[in-house]
Amino acid sequence: MSAFKSNKIAIVARYKENLEWMNLLLCDSIVYNKGPSLRNCKKNVVDLHNLGRESQTYLEFIVSNYDKIEPQNTYVFLQGHPFEPHIVNIKEINDAQSRCAIRSLRGAYTL
């Protein structure tokens, strides 16, 4: 994990999704790419084999960076297209604070 400028990092699990929406994020980000090459992407990209679902990608980030994860940082885990049916609001991501807020993909917030 390279050095980041902010204390909020978005971890995005991508297959073939268009990632232009990421330009609206006000935080650092890492794209874990399981699909076609992202050679022209200006984000941090980690290429992975297409195994498992997004939860496997998130686990890959945690395991690979376990000793580097800073408890004071906020880590936001997202799908490559985090809108329908899970409806993630970009403003909500940009406003997220380090407060252990967890949003389930199937339910309401858990604090």
Side-chain angles (χ1 to χ4, degrees), residues 22-94:
M22 290 183 66
N23 293 325
L24 301 173
L25 291 176
L26 301 177
C27 61
D28 292 315
S29 60
I30 303 172
V31 176
Y32 278 82
N33 181 42
K34 293 184 177 183
S37 175
L38 289 172
R39 277 180 252 132
N40 298 325
C41 184
K42 294 180 172 70
K43 305 291 180 188
N44 294 317
V45 177
V46 176
D47 290 313
L48 297 175
H49 293 289
N50 186 19
L51 300 172
R53 297 188 53 97
E54 68 275 358
S55 55
Q56 183 274 336
T57 304
Y58 306 150
L59 184 60
E60 174 71 26
F61 169 81
I62 293 166
V63 170
S64 297
N65 296 287
Y66 190 80
D67 293 332
K68 299 177 225 161
I69 291 176
E70 299 289 337
Q72 70 274 14
N73 287 350
T74 300
Y75 297 89
V76 182
F77 294 89
L78 300 163
Q79 295 176 334
H81 184 74
F83 305 102
E84 292 295 333
H86 305 301
I87 308 175
V88 171
N89 182 326
I90 296 294
K91 182 179 181 333
E92 181 180 10
I93 295 166
N94 288 335

